[in-house]
Amino acid sequence: MTMNEKLIFTNKTGEELDRFIGDLGNPRTIIITDNNVEAEVFPALGPASGVVRTSPKIVIPAGDDNKTLDTLATVWKALSEMEAVRKTVVVNIGGGVVTDLGGFAAATYMRGMRCVNVPTTLLAAVDASVGGKTGINFNGFKNQVGVFSEPVATIISSEFFSTLPDEEILSGYGEMLKHGLLESADAIGRLLAINPLQDISLLLQLICDSVSVKARVVAEDLRESGARKLLNLGHTFGHAFESYSYERNSPAAHGYAVVWGLVCELVLSHMRLGFPSELLYKVKNYVREYYGAFAITCNDYPALIRAMRHDKKNPEADSINCTLLRAPGVGVTDEVVSEDEIKSTLDIYRDLML
Ligand code: GLY
């Protein structure tokens, strides 16, 4: 099975975008982006792309706080005022907020237009822009409303990463570590062997490998009824760390929360399924060195467990599910975990990380 979404890896984004739109027969295009990307990326991208120079732009305010119904309504309104029709192609240029919200706007306006994603952050390149999850935050919950709708293409490059803060690169790299663990011992070994902040020239090939892991899983199960749950590795604990970090008013970047979650879920994988301790230690050492640790005491356990119970990955309100690994490349989904196991895991996480 293949994805409907075409993946284009290039460090000549502007030219590839023009070529792809040309291959579609040069339909009318409208760009959705945010104010940061407009300032940081467009000065370099514009000269390389007629599509970028000539298409009308809908510029939303940057930041996850703006991934809202209000922003979506302004995008629908702008599409309507620009007289977009179903054949018009939306080009989402930005990070995950732009590709999620822009993808949702395109999927719903006139019952669905085509869109092309041009991710400008590492996190969007390896995760959000690929695989057709679109949506907005709603009623206090992340990504609460949305649809599965694949872009016709995603054009992936490492061209724009020099404008990103280190924290953004490491955050995206966290999802790549997850893909590496899901793939094989070699794949995770290659990722643990480099410093992503220094070895930027190696990134495009590693991104290509990483996205291929996700693409294979999505091709099997777009709507997350089975295999796609593998991609939740690290995310049961990770989402809990992330939402608790917001509660504590010191927000952690998504990929940081994911790597701390990976350490916990590899501990659990070792205890339950015999995941090799040597690799667990290698991952833990890498995470400690580059990401530090999320500081917790046992007084934080009830809040973390509460956050896990609220996670939309859990099909039953009273169970907590994880994706775990028997070994690199051998994942197991829907592992129901008890509160006692979560507490023991957090005890070991603290011993290893703090
Ligand atoms: N971020 C995980 C997925 O797309 O399913």
Side-chain angles (χ1 to χ4, degrees):
M1 231 179 301
T2 52
M3 287 199 307
N4 295 319
E5 173 182 356
K6 182 169 184 192
L7 298 172
I8 300 169
F9 297 91
T10 177
N11 269 337
K12 291 193 179 304
T13 308
E15 288 90 330
E16 285 299 331
L17 175 61
D18 287 5
R19 194 190 331 271
F20 184 77
I21 297 295
D23 289 348
L24 293 180
N26 282 315
R28 190 164 166 239
T29 45
I30 294 177
I31 289 173
I32 300 178
T33 191
D34 71 32
N35 56 305
N36 281 349
V37 175
E38 193 186 31
E40 301 281 343
V41 171
F42 279 52
L45 189 55
S49 166
V51 169
V52 172
R53 279 196 305 281
T54 58
S55 304
K57 293 178 190 57
I58 301 171
V59 182
I60 63 173
D64 197 68
D65 290 353
N66 295 305
K67 201 168 124 183
T68 60
L69 186 57
D70 282 347
T71 309
L72 179 65
T74 64
V75 172
W76 280 329
K77 191 157 182 283
L79 288 170
S80 169
E81 284 167 2
M82 290 173 181
E83 299 181 349
V85 293
R86 201 178 275 164
K87 285 188 171 158
T88 308
V89 172
V90 166
V91 181
N92 296 311
I93 304 180
V97 173
V98 168
T99 60
D100 280 12
L101 186 144
F104 190 34
T108 47
Y109 183 80
M110 288 204 169
R111 300 206 176 91
M113 310 156 76
R114 289 170 296 175
C115 77
V116 174
N117 284 339
V118 181
T120 57
T121 65
L122 181 55
L123 191 58
V126 295
D127 194 14
S129 70
V130 176
K133 281 189 178 175
T134 72
I136 54 169
N137 303 332
F138 187 69
N139 199 27
F141 295 101
K142 287 191 151 214
N143 303 322
Q144 187 77 1
V145 179
V147 293
F148 288 100
S149 175
E150 289 179 280
V152 283
T154 296
I155 302 177
I156 295 174
S157 79
S158 57
E159 246 182 289
F160 313 113
F161 297 166
S162 56
T163 65
L164 296 176
D166 289 354
E167 191 190 72
E168 272 279 347
I169 298 279
L170 287 171
S171 184
Y173 206 70
E175 291 286 354
M176 291 174 67
L177 293 171
K178 177 195 81 178
H179 290 153
L181 283 162
L182 289 170
E183 176 69 354
S184 66
D186 282 353
I188 183 65
R190 279 192 294 278
L191 292 165
L192 295 176
I194 75 157
N195 175 346
L197 301 176
Q198 277 167 12
D199 304 319
I200 296 256
S201 62
L202 302 178
L203 269 188
L204 189 60
Q205 183 54 50
L206 291 171
I207 293 168
C208 176
D209 298 344
S210 187
V211 171
S212 310
V213 176
K214 176 159 185 180
R216 239 187 359 259
V217 173
V218 171
E220 199 177 318
D221 174 30
L222 175 68
R223 289 173 181 276
E224 203 169 25
S225 47
R228 190 165 185 162
K229 293 182 197 168
L230 287 169
L231 299 175
N232 292 333
L233 180 68
H235 282 64
T236 298
F237 282 74
H239 277 158
F241 287 144
E242 190 175 9
S243 49
Y244 192 45
S245 76
Y246 279 81
E247 256 176 64
R248 294 205 302 203
N249 287 323
S250 112
H254 177 72
Y256 281 61
V258 168
V259 294
W260 298 325
L262 281 176
V263 172
C264 293
E265 293 179 22
L266 292 185
V267 167
L268 208 39
S269 296
H270 173 69
M271 295 194 301
R272 274 202 170 194
L273 305 172
F275 183 87
S277 57
E278 196 193 339
L279 184 54
L280 160 58
Y281 271 87
K282 278 191 187 152
V283 173
K284 181 271 291 183
N285 289 339
Y286 192 91
V287 169
R288 258 185 103 199
E289 179 179 349
Y290 287 96
Y291 298 83
F294 187 71
I296 49 167
T297 69
C298 55
N299 295 331
D300 300 310
Y301 293 2
L304 289 166
I305 291 169
R306 207 167 42 243
M308 288 181 209
R309 288 200 182 286
H310 270 120
D311 202 306
K312 61 182 173 318
K313 289 193 294 303
N314 296 312
E316 318 282 346
D318 58 354
S319 78
I320 295 175
N321 282 29
C322 283
T323 292
L324 301 178
L325 292 177
R326 286 187 199 286
V330 189
V332 184
T333 61
D334 295 321
E335 288 280 299
V336 177
V337 188
S338 70
E339 285 202 10
D340 281 347
E341 281 174 298
I342 291 168
K343 287 178 190 159
S344 312
T345 302
L346 291 170
D347 286 342
I348 297 171
Y349 162 88
R350 284 165 55 213
D351 284 346
L352 292 173
M353 299 286 285
L354 301 175

